[in-house]
Amino acid sequence: MSTFDIHVHIGGIDRRTTGCFMSHPQKIKLKKEMPGSLRWRFQIAEWLGLLDSQVKKRLFSFLNEGPVDYAVVLAMDGVYNRDGYLDEQRTNFYVPNEYVIGLAKECKKVIPGASIHPLRKEWEEEFERVVASGARLIKWLPSSQGFDPADSRILPFYRKLAAKKIPLLVHTGFEHIIVAPSEQQVFGEPKRLNNALEAGVTVIMAHSGTSGGPGEPEYWNDFIELARRYPHCYGDMAAFTHWTRVGILPKIIHHDWVHERLIHGSDATLQPSLDQISGLVGRDLAERLKSSQNPIYKDWKLKKALGFPNEIFTRAGRLLRLD
C-alpha cells in the first residue's frame, strides 16, 4: 500500500507569480523561528525576488528524496469580513488553492489540500471547483482564520463535506506559527468540532489536540474522548517529533487503542528536534539525522524508530479514497 504524509506546508510572498502573501508581523515571526543560516537565505531570496521559487524547489527536493509515496501539500485561506470577502489587512498567511493544485501538476508526489473559509461568500462554488481540480481534503486553521468551528452557520459546509466524502483536516491545540489574536486560540478546542462529527464528516484533528508549550492548554484527552465516540474521528501526528510535542510520545507509543485512529503527518517544513527526542530513539540515530536537511525524511525515520505500526503511514490512502 502507498504511504502518505498528510500535513505538509508551503508558503510564499509573491502575489504576482504564486498568489501567496504574508503580513509583516508574520515574516518577523517566521524569521525568529529559523536558525541563523536559513534566516539569511530567506532574507537574500526575498531581496532577489526568488523566495517563492526557492521554497518550492526545496519542498520538491524533500519530497523526491523522501520515503513517502504521496504528501498532502496544504493551501491556507485567509480571514474574511462580515460580508464574506477576503480581509487582506487581517490575513497574516495566505496560500491560494490554485497554487497547491498547480504544484500537483509539477510533482507526482503532491496531493492538493485545499483551504476554504466556511463563511466566505462563495464557499460552495470554491468547494466544487477545488474538488473537481483534484483536492482531496479541506484544511482549516480556525484560530488564525478567525472563525469558530462550532458556529451554526457552518452546518451547510459540514453537510457538503459529508455528502462528498471529503475529509476535514483541522488544527487543534495551541497555534504557534501563524500570527493570530490570542483570544482566538480557543477555536483550537477539539470539542468545537462536535457539529462536524455529528454531521458525519471525516474529521482529522491536526496535532490530535496537543499544544506542547509551557502553560498552554492540552486537549489530548478531548481528542481521545471524541475518537472513541465517533468512528470517523482521527488525529494526525504533525509536529510530534518537535520539542513542543515530544512529551506526548511516551503516552502514545504503547497506547492500547489510539494507533487505530492516528495518521502520519510531519508538519514539514518544520524540523524535528533531534536533541530532545534522542532519549526515545537513541543518540546514534539522532546524530546521524543531523546531517540531513530534509524534515520529511527525518520525521519519518524517527517515527519508524519509535515503532509505530505501518497502518499509521498508509491509513490516509483510504480516507482520501486513493487506495
Side-chain angles (χ1 to χ4, degrees), residues 131-317:
V131 170
S133 298
R136 292 286 177 162
L137 61 71
I138 302 298
K139 170 68 191 308
W140 287 350
L141 207 170
S143 60
S144 297
Q145 293 172 320
F147 68 90
D148 184 350
D151 191 326
S152 62
R153 293 176 295 170
I154 301 175
L155 289 174
F157 198 109
Y158 290 145
R159 288 193 286 268
K160 175 68 76 171
L161 285 166
K164 294 288 187 177
K165 295 182 170 56
I166 300 295
L168 178 65
L169 176 65
V170 190
H171 178 95
T172 55
F174 199 89
E175 168 57 27
H176 302 103
I177 302 298
I178 308 300
V179 174
S182 59
E183 64 270 17
Q184 293 179 183
Q185 290 284 0
V186 296
F187 296 159
E189 296 173 352
K191 290 186 177 181
R192 291 177 184 263
L193 292 163
N194 273 329
N195 287 345
L197 292 164
E198 284 291 327
V201 179
T202 296
V203 174
I204 305 168
M205 297 189 181
H207 314 293
S208 301
T210 62
S211 296
E216 294 171 357
E218 293 292 343
Y219 303 112
W220 167 257
N221 290 333
D222 290 346
F223 159 65
I224 292 294
E225 178 186 335
L226 291 168
R228 288 191 184 278
R229 189 186 312 166
Y230 298 99
H232 46 287
C233 178
Y234 297 85
D236 83 10
M237 299 174 68
F240 276 20
T241 60
H242 188 256
W243 71 264
T244 51
R245 293 177 172 87
V246 164
I248 196 67
L249 287 170
K251 293 182 182 179
I252 299 172
I253 293 170
H254 303 296
H255 197 284
D256 63 342
W257 169 81
V258 76
H259 292 180
E260 298 176 15
R261 296 297 179 80
L262 292 179
I263 299 171
H264 172 58
S266 65
D267 210 3
T269 58
L270 187 69
Q271 292 281 350
S273 301
L274 296 173
D275 289 334
Q276 285 80 359
I277 203 173
S278 62
L280 295 174
V281 300
R283 175 63 62 180
D284 288 347
L285 175 60
E287 288 297 323
R288 288 199 304 273
L289 291 177
K290 286 182 178 180
S291 64
S292 172
Q293 294 298 311
N294 188 335
I296 294 173
Y297 169 75
K298 289 189 285 189
D299 184 76
W300 171 279
K301 291 289 287 186
L302 291 167
K303 287 171 182 170
K304 284 290 188 178
L306 288 165
F308 286 107
N310 193 55
E311 290 78 8
I312 286 175
F313 303 91
T314 62
R315 182 167 288 128

Side-chain angles (χ1 to χ4, degrees), residues 20-193:
C20 302
F21 65 85
M22 294 183 204
S23 68
H24 183 65
Q26 185 64 52
K27 288 182 187 177
I28 293 173
K29 185 174 180 62
L30 284 178
K31 289 174 184 177
K32 285 182 179 179
E33 298 287 334
M34 295 176 183
S37 58
L38 187 58
R39 189 181 310 124
W40 275 109
R41 289 172 63 183
F42 182 103
Q43 189 67 66
I44 292 170
E46 182 180 359
W47 287 336
L48 296 175
L50 300 173
L51 181 66
D52 292 37
S53 62
Q54 291 297 311
V55 168
K56 181 177 75 170
K57 180 180 178 181
R58 186 174 172 86
L59 174 61
F60 283 179
S61 71
F62 290 157
L63 291 174
N64 291 328
E65 297 166 4
V68 296
D69 296 310
Y70 300 101
V72 178
V73 179
L74 303 169
M76 184 63 65
D77 207 351
V79 177
Y80 282 72
N81 62 28
R82 292 181 180 179
D83 296 322
Y85 295 101
L86 181 66
D87 187 337
E88 294 193 8
Q89 296 302 312
R90 293 193 297 138
T91 297
N92 288 297
F93 187 88
Y94 183 80
V95 179
N97 293 324
E98 201 59 39
Y99 184 46
V100 297
I101 289 169
L103 295 179
K105 299 175 182 177
E106 298 183 57
C107 178
K108 65 180 182 180
K109 285 193 170 186
V110 170
I111 299 168
S115 184
I116 303 172
H117 192 295
L119 298 177
R120 62 189 280 182
K121 191 173 183 63
E122 80 301 353
W123 71 262
E124 192 163 9
E125 292 87 343
E126 181 68 358
F127 183 97
E128 297 291 351
R129 187 187 72 82
V130 299
V131 170
S133 298
R136 292 286 177 162
L137 61 71
I138 302 298
K139 170 68 191 308
W140 287 350
L141 207 170
S143 60
S144 297
Q145 293 172 320
F147 68 90
D148 184 350
D151 191 326
S152 62
R153 293 176 295 170
I154 301 175
L155 289 174
F157 198 109
Y158 290 145
R159 288 193 286 268
K160 175 68 76 171
L161 285 166
K164 294 288 187 177
K165 295 182 170 56
I166 300 295
L168 178 65
L169 176 65
V170 190
H171 178 95
T172 55
F174 199 89
E175 168 57 27
H176 302 103
I177 302 298
I178 308 300
V179 174
S182 59
E183 64 270 17
Q184 293 179 183
Q185 290 284 0
V186 296
F187 296 159
E189 296 173 352
K191 290 186 177 181
R192 291 177 184 263
L193 292 163

